[in-house]
Short mmCIF file of all heavy atoms in Angstrom, two decimals:
data_model
loop_
_atom_site.label_atom_id
_atom_site.label_comp_id
_atom_site.label_asym_id
_atom_site.label_seq_id
_atom_site.Cartn_x
_atom_site.Cartn_y
_atom_site.Cartn_z
N VAL A 15 15.16 24.87 -55.02
CA VAL A 15 14.89 26.37 -54.80
C VAL A 15 13.44 26.69 -54.72
O VAL A 15 13.05 27.56 -53.79
CB VAL A 15 15.63 27.12 -55.99
CG1 VAL A 15 15.41 28.58 -55.73
CG2 VAL A 15 17.08 26.83 -55.87
N ILE A 16 12.68 26.10 -55.52
CA ILE A 16 11.19 26.17 -55.37
C ILE A 16 10.60 24.80 -55.16
O ILE A 16 11.12 23.89 -55.76
CB ILE A 16 10.51 27.07 -56.45
CG1 ILE A 16 10.77 26.40 -57.83
CG2 ILE A 16 11.02 28.52 -56.53
CD1 ILE A 16 10.03 27.29 -58.86
N ALA A 17 9.55 24.77 -54.55
CA ALA A 17 8.88 23.48 -54.25
C ALA A 17 8.20 22.79 -55.40
O ALA A 17 8.04 21.62 -55.56
CB ALA A 17 8.05 23.50 -53.06
N GLY A 18 7.47 23.63 -56.16
CA GLY A 18 6.63 23.11 -57.30
C GLY A 18 6.21 24.20 -58.19
O GLY A 18 6.36 25.45 -57.95
N ALA A 19 5.55 23.76 -59.34
CA ALA A 19 4.99 24.81 -60.31
C ALA A 19 3.92 24.18 -60.93
O ALA A 19 3.63 23.05 -61.04
CB ALA A 19 6.09 25.14 -61.28
N GLY A 20 2.95 25.18 -61.21
CA GLY A 20 1.80 24.80 -62.11
C GLY A 20 1.81 25.47 -63.44
O GLY A 20 1.94 26.75 -63.42
N LEU A 21 1.97 24.79 -64.54
CA LEU A 21 2.15 25.40 -65.78
C LEU A 21 0.92 25.24 -66.65
O LEU A 21 0.48 23.99 -66.86
CB LEU A 21 3.32 24.73 -66.49
CG LEU A 21 4.64 24.69 -65.65
CD1 LEU A 21 5.76 23.88 -66.47
CD2 LEU A 21 5.11 26.16 -65.28
N ASP A 22 0.36 26.26 -67.14
CA ASP A 22 -0.82 26.13 -68.04
C ASP A 22 -0.64 26.76 -69.45
O ASP A 22 -1.12 26.17 -70.36
CB ASP A 22 -1.98 26.95 -67.43
CG ASP A 22 -3.27 26.82 -68.21
OD1 ASP A 22 -3.67 25.76 -68.45
OD2 ASP A 22 -3.82 27.95 -68.50
N VAL A 23 0.24 27.68 -69.55
CA VAL A 23 0.50 28.26 -70.87
C VAL A 23 1.96 27.94 -71.14
O VAL A 23 2.86 28.14 -70.31
CB VAL A 23 0.41 29.91 -70.86
CG1 VAL A 23 0.70 30.42 -72.21
CG2 VAL A 23 -1.05 30.16 -70.39
N HIS A 24 2.13 27.32 -72.27
CA HIS A 24 3.41 26.78 -72.71
C HIS A 24 4.21 27.45 -73.83
O HIS A 24 3.34 27.84 -74.88
CB HIS A 24 3.41 25.48 -72.90
CG HIS A 24 2.60 24.64 -71.81
ND1 HIS A 24 3.23 24.25 -70.65
CD2 HIS A 24 1.28 24.22 -71.60
CE1 HIS A 24 2.30 23.71 -69.79
NE2 HIS A 24 1.09 23.74 -70.47
N TYR A 25 5.38 27.53 -73.99
CA TYR A 25 6.05 27.98 -75.17
C TYR A 25 5.67 27.25 -76.34
O TYR A 25 5.37 27.82 -77.49
CB TYR A 25 7.59 28.01 -75.00
CG TYR A 25 8.34 28.45 -76.19
CD1 TYR A 25 8.47 29.88 -76.54
CD2 TYR A 25 9.00 27.68 -77.11
CE1 TYR A 25 9.04 30.38 -77.64
CE2 TYR A 25 9.68 28.13 -78.10
CZ TYR A 25 9.69 29.50 -78.42
OH TYR A 25 10.28 29.97 -79.49
N GLU A 26 5.67 25.86 -76.33
CA GLU A 26 5.30 25.07 -77.38
C GLU A 26 3.90 24.31 -76.95
O GLU A 26 3.98 23.63 -75.96
CB GLU A 26 6.42 24.05 -77.64
CG GLU A 26 6.01 22.99 -78.81
CD GLU A 26 7.19 22.00 -78.98
OE1 GLU A 26 8.20 22.10 -78.44
OE2 GLU A 26 6.80 21.10 -79.86
N GLU A 27 2.95 24.50 -77.70
CA GLU A 27 1.69 23.83 -77.31
C GLU A 27 1.22 22.96 -78.44
O GLU A 27 1.18 23.48 -79.51
CB GLU A 27 0.67 24.94 -76.94
CG GLU A 27 0.83 25.64 -75.61
CD GLU A 27 -0.12 26.58 -75.18
OE1 GLU A 27 -1.12 26.77 -75.94
OE2 GLU A 27 -0.11 27.10 -74.17
N PRO A 28 0.82 21.81 -78.20
CA PRO A 28 0.98 21.22 -76.90
C PRO A 28 2.44 20.72 -76.59
O PRO A 28 3.11 20.54 -77.59
CB PRO A 28 0.00 19.89 -76.98
CG PRO A 28 0.09 19.54 -78.42
CD PRO A 28 0.23 20.85 -79.21
N ARG A 29 2.67 20.62 -75.31
CA ARG A 29 4.00 20.14 -75.02
C ARG A 29 4.26 18.66 -75.45
O ARG A 29 3.23 17.91 -75.29
CB ARG A 29 4.23 20.29 -73.49
CG ARG A 29 4.63 21.62 -73.08
CD ARG A 29 5.10 21.53 -71.54
NE ARG A 29 5.37 22.86 -71.07
CZ ARG A 29 6.77 23.52 -71.07
NH1 ARG A 29 7.66 22.85 -71.62
NH2 ARG A 29 6.84 24.69 -70.60
N PRO A 30 5.40 18.31 -75.92
CA PRO A 30 5.57 16.85 -76.31
C PRO A 30 5.51 16.05 -75.01
O PRO A 30 5.92 16.45 -73.95
CB PRO A 30 6.98 16.87 -76.92
CG PRO A 30 7.45 18.26 -76.87
CD PRO A 30 6.55 19.22 -76.18
N LEU A 31 5.08 14.73 -75.10
CA LEU A 31 5.07 13.83 -74.00
C LEU A 31 6.40 13.62 -73.48
O LEU A 31 6.54 13.34 -72.14
CB LEU A 31 4.40 12.58 -74.41
CG LEU A 31 2.89 12.51 -74.76
CD1 LEU A 31 2.53 11.19 -75.28
CD2 LEU A 31 2.10 13.02 -73.65
N SER A 32 7.53 13.78 -74.14
CA SER A 32 8.86 13.59 -73.78
C SER A 32 9.41 14.77 -72.99
O SER A 32 10.58 14.81 -72.59
CB SER A 32 9.74 13.21 -74.82
OG SER A 32 9.70 14.28 -75.82
N ASP A 33 8.55 15.83 -72.83
CA ASP A 33 9.07 17.10 -72.19
C ASP A 33 9.64 16.93 -70.92
O ASP A 33 9.15 16.10 -70.04
CB ASP A 33 7.87 18.05 -72.15
CG ASP A 33 8.26 19.39 -71.69
OD1 ASP A 33 8.68 20.28 -72.57
OD2 ASP A 33 8.14 19.67 -70.49
N ARG A 34 10.64 17.59 -70.51
CA ARG A 34 11.37 17.43 -69.29
C ARG A 34 10.44 17.67 -68.06
O ARG A 34 10.67 17.16 -67.03
CB ARG A 34 12.68 18.15 -69.09
CG ARG A 34 12.46 19.74 -69.33
CD ARG A 34 13.90 20.52 -69.43
NE ARG A 34 13.57 21.83 -69.75
CZ ARG A 34 14.50 22.81 -69.68
NH1 ARG A 34 15.76 22.40 -69.36
NH2 ARG A 34 14.20 23.97 -70.03
N TYR A 35 9.60 18.66 -68.25
CA TYR A 35 8.60 19.07 -67.11
C TYR A 35 7.66 17.93 -66.80
O TYR A 35 7.24 17.74 -65.67
CB TYR A 35 7.97 20.30 -67.32
CG TYR A 35 8.75 21.54 -67.23
CD1 TYR A 35 9.34 22.08 -68.31
CD2 TYR A 35 9.09 22.06 -65.94
CE1 TYR A 35 10.20 23.25 -68.25
CE2 TYR A 35 9.85 23.17 -65.76
CZ TYR A 35 10.39 23.74 -66.97
OH TYR A 35 11.21 24.84 -66.84
N ALA A 36 7.34 17.12 -67.85
CA ALA A 36 6.46 15.98 -67.61
C ALA A 36 7.06 14.81 -66.61
O ALA A 36 6.32 14.18 -66.10
CB ALA A 36 6.08 15.34 -68.96
N LYS A 37 8.36 14.92 -66.63
CA LYS A 37 8.91 13.91 -65.75
C LYS A 37 9.11 14.21 -64.28
O LYS A 37 9.61 13.55 -63.37
CB LYS A 37 10.36 13.54 -66.33
CG LYS A 37 10.24 12.96 -67.66
CD LYS A 37 11.68 12.82 -68.36
CE LYS A 37 11.40 12.29 -69.82
NZ LYS A 37 12.58 12.66 -70.61
N LEU A 38 8.79 15.59 -63.96
CA LEU A 38 9.04 16.00 -62.69
C LEU A 38 7.69 15.81 -61.79
O LEU A 38 6.67 16.13 -62.28
CB LEU A 38 9.40 17.56 -62.58
CG LEU A 38 10.61 17.90 -63.33
CD1 LEU A 38 10.83 19.35 -63.30
CD2 LEU A 38 11.80 17.29 -62.67
N ARG A 39 7.79 15.36 -60.60
CA ARG A 39 6.70 15.07 -59.76
C ARG A 39 6.27 16.42 -59.05
O ARG A 39 5.11 16.36 -58.58
CB ARG A 39 7.17 14.01 -58.67
CG ARG A 39 7.45 12.62 -59.25
CD ARG A 39 7.62 11.71 -58.27
NE ARG A 39 6.32 11.46 -57.62
CZ ARG A 39 5.97 10.61 -56.69
NH1 ARG A 39 6.97 9.76 -56.21
NH2 ARG A 39 4.72 10.52 -56.15
N ASN A 40 6.98 17.40 -59.09
CA ASN A 40 6.64 18.69 -58.40
C ASN A 40 6.02 19.62 -59.38
O ASN A 40 5.95 20.81 -59.22
CB ASN A 40 7.66 19.25 -57.49
CG ASN A 40 8.98 19.46 -58.50
OD1 ASN A 40 9.16 18.96 -59.55
ND2 ASN A 40 9.83 20.21 -57.87
N VAL A 41 5.53 19.18 -60.56
CA VAL A 41 4.96 20.15 -61.61
C VAL A 41 3.68 19.46 -61.98
O VAL A 41 3.62 18.35 -62.34
CB VAL A 41 5.93 20.18 -62.78
CG1 VAL A 41 5.28 20.92 -63.95
CG2 VAL A 41 7.24 20.83 -62.48
N ILE A 42 2.67 20.42 -62.10
CA ILE A 42 1.36 20.06 -62.69
C ILE A 42 1.24 20.80 -64.01
O ILE A 42 1.51 22.06 -63.91
CB ILE A 42 0.25 20.41 -61.67
CG1 ILE A 42 0.33 19.50 -60.44
CG2 ILE A 42 -1.13 20.19 -62.30
CD1 ILE A 42 -0.59 20.00 -59.34
N MET A 43 0.90 20.20 -64.97
CA MET A 43 0.73 20.86 -66.37
C MET A 43 -0.65 20.59 -66.86
O MET A 43 -1.25 19.59 -66.79
CB MET A 43 1.68 20.26 -67.31
CG MET A 43 3.15 20.65 -67.16
SD MET A 43 4.20 20.29 -68.53
CE MET A 43 4.16 18.51 -68.56
N THR A 44 -1.26 21.71 -67.33
CA THR A 44 -2.72 21.66 -67.89
C THR A 44 -2.52 22.21 -69.34
O THR A 44 -1.58 23.02 -69.61
CB THR A 44 -3.62 22.52 -67.11
OG1 THR A 44 -3.19 23.89 -66.89
CG2 THR A 44 -3.80 21.94 -65.76
N PRO A 45 -3.40 21.95 -70.23
CA PRO A 45 -3.29 22.24 -71.62
C PRO A 45 -4.05 23.60 -71.93
O PRO A 45 -4.85 23.80 -72.63
CB PRO A 45 -4.00 21.22 -72.37
CG PRO A 45 -5.11 20.64 -71.37
CD PRO A 45 -4.47 20.87 -70.05
N HIS A 46 -3.41 24.74 -71.27
CA HIS A 46 -3.90 26.05 -71.51
C HIS A 46 -5.38 26.32 -71.36
O HIS A 46 -6.08 26.91 -72.20
CB HIS A 46 -3.44 26.44 -72.92
CG HIS A 46 -3.35 27.96 -73.15
ND1 HIS A 46 -2.55 28.56 -74.06
CD2 HIS A 46 -3.97 28.97 -72.51
CE1 HIS A 46 -2.59 29.74 -74.06
NE2 HIS A 46 -3.46 30.23 -73.16
N LEU A 47 -5.97 25.70 -70.25
CA LEU A 47 -7.38 25.95 -70.01
C LEU A 47 -7.62 25.97 -68.45
O LEU A 47 -8.77 26.02 -68.12
CB LEU A 47 -8.20 24.78 -70.67
CG LEU A 47 -7.84 23.41 -70.28
CD1 LEU A 47 -8.27 22.90 -68.91
CD2 LEU A 47 -8.52 22.41 -71.36
N ALA A 48 -6.53 25.99 -67.59
CA ALA A 48 -6.87 25.99 -66.29
C ALA A 48 -7.46 27.26 -65.71
O ALA A 48 -8.24 27.23 -64.67
CB ALA A 48 -5.52 25.75 -65.48
N GLY A 49 -7.33 28.28 -66.36
CA GLY A 49 -7.92 29.55 -65.82
C GLY A 49 -9.39 29.82 -66.09
O GLY A 49 -9.96 30.76 -65.45
N GLY A 50 -10.10 28.95 -66.90
CA GLY A 50 -11.42 29.15 -67.25
C GLY A 50 -12.39 28.42 -66.23
O GLY A 50 -11.95 27.51 -65.53
N SER A 51 -13.44 28.90 -66.30
CA SER A 51 -14.65 28.29 -65.48
C SER A 51 -15.15 27.06 -66.20
O SER A 51 -15.03 26.90 -67.32
CB SER A 51 -15.63 29.35 -65.15
OG SER A 51 -16.47 29.56 -66.26
N ARG A 52 -15.88 26.15 -65.40
CA ARG A 52 -16.62 25.09 -66.13
C ARG A 52 -17.60 25.64 -67.06
O ARG A 52 -17.73 25.13 -68.23
CB ARG A 52 -17.40 24.40 -65.05
CG ARG A 52 -16.41 23.52 -64.17
CD ARG A 52 -17.24 22.63 -63.17
NE ARG A 52 -16.29 22.13 -62.38
CZ ARG A 52 -16.51 21.56 -61.18
NH1 ARG A 52 -17.73 21.77 -60.60
NH2 ARG A 52 -15.58 21.03 -60.39
N LYS A 53 -18.40 26.72 -66.80
CA LYS A 53 -19.35 27.22 -67.64
C LYS A 53 -18.53 27.74 -68.98
O LYS A 53 -19.03 27.51 -70.18
CB LYS A 53 -20.19 28.30 -67.10
CG LYS A 53 -21.21 28.98 -67.96
CD LYS A 53 -21.98 30.13 -67.30
CE LYS A 53 -23.02 30.58 -68.22
NZ LYS A 53 -23.58 31.91 -67.75
N GLY A 54 -17.56 28.40 -68.73
CA GLY A 54 -16.73 28.96 -69.92
C GLY A 54 -16.22 27.91 -70.83
O GLY A 54 -16.37 28.03 -72.10
N VAL A 55 -15.80 26.71 -70.12
CA VAL A 55 -15.29 25.63 -70.95
C VAL A 55 -16.43 25.03 -71.87
O VAL A 55 -16.30 24.70 -72.96
CB VAL A 55 -14.59 24.58 -70.17
CG1 VAL A 55 -14.32 23.40 -70.84
CG2 VAL A 55 -13.39 25.14 -69.51
N VAL A 56 -17.53 24.93 -71.27
CA VAL A 56 -18.73 24.38 -72.03
C VAL A 56 -19.07 25.30 -73.07
O VAL A 56 -19.38 24.77 -74.19
CB VAL A 56 -19.96 24.17 -70.90
CG1 VAL A 56 -21.18 23.79 -71.64
CG2 VAL A 56 -19.66 23.07 -69.96
N GLU A 57 -19.12 26.66 -72.91
CA GLU A 57 -19.35 27.57 -73.93
C GLU A 57 -18.43 27.41 -75.02
O GLU A 57 -18.78 27.32 -76.19
CB GLU A 57 -19.56 28.97 -73.43
CG GLU A 57 -20.63 29.25 -72.47
CD GLU A 57 -20.52 30.62 -71.88
OE1 GLU A 57 -19.62 31.34 -72.01
OE2 GLU A 57 -21.53 30.86 -71.15
#
Side-chain angles (χ1 to χ4, degrees):
V15 172
I16 60 174
L21 307 176
D22 182 55
V23 179
H24 311 278
Y25 178 75
E26 180 182 355
E27 292 186 354
R29 279 192 182 266
L31 293 176
S32 62
D33 187 83
R34 62 186 173 171
Y35 286 99
K37 298 172 185 158
L38 298 178
R39 296 189 67 178
N40 58 343
V41 172
I42 297 172
M43 292 192 293
T44 56
H46 203 154
L47 57 74
S51 68
R52 288 182 186 154
K53 182 180 177 192
V55 170
V56 169
E57 289 173 358

